[in-house]
């Protein structure tokens, strides 16, 4: 599982797509307001914020890599 921060942004969405094309499972770290956009990525969604350490710990559970 790879965690992608900024997954709903222009660069992040391309990263998510590329990782999925390579057969990797992807978790998108997004804010609550970005959930609808994240659902379109067909990635697992982790709601959180880079400024919230607890949400980052939850988002990182089980991941083997992070793309920021």
């Amino acid at each position: 599982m790879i965690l992608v921060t900024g997954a709903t942004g222009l660069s992040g969405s391309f990263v998510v797509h590329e990782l999925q094309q390579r057969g990797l499972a992807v978790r998108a770290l997004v804010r609550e307001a970005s959930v609808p956009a994240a659902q379109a990525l067909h990635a697992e969604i982790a709601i959180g914020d880079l400024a919230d350490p607890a949400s980052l710990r939850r988002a990182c559970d089980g991941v083997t890599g992070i793309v920021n």
Side-chain angles (χ1 to χ4, degrees), residues 4 29 51:
V4 178
L29 178 66

Side-chain angles (χ1 to χ4, degrees), residues 8 13 16 36 38 44-45 49 56 58 63 67:
T8 58
S13 62
V16 169
E44 182 178 313
I45 297 171
D49 191 298
L56 291 177
R58 287 189 302 273
V63 302
V67 178

Side-chain angles (χ1 to χ4, degrees), residues 5-41:
T5 66
T8 58
L10 181 62
S11 297
S13 62
F14 282 110
V15 169
V16 169
H17 180 72
E18 182 62 30
L19 291 170
Q20 291 170 329
Q21 289 297 311
R22 293 176 184 218
L24 296 166
V26 179
R27 181 178 297 152
L29 178 66
V30 299
R31 294 185 181 135
E32 185 76 40
S34 297
V35 168
Q39 290 172 331
L41 298 172

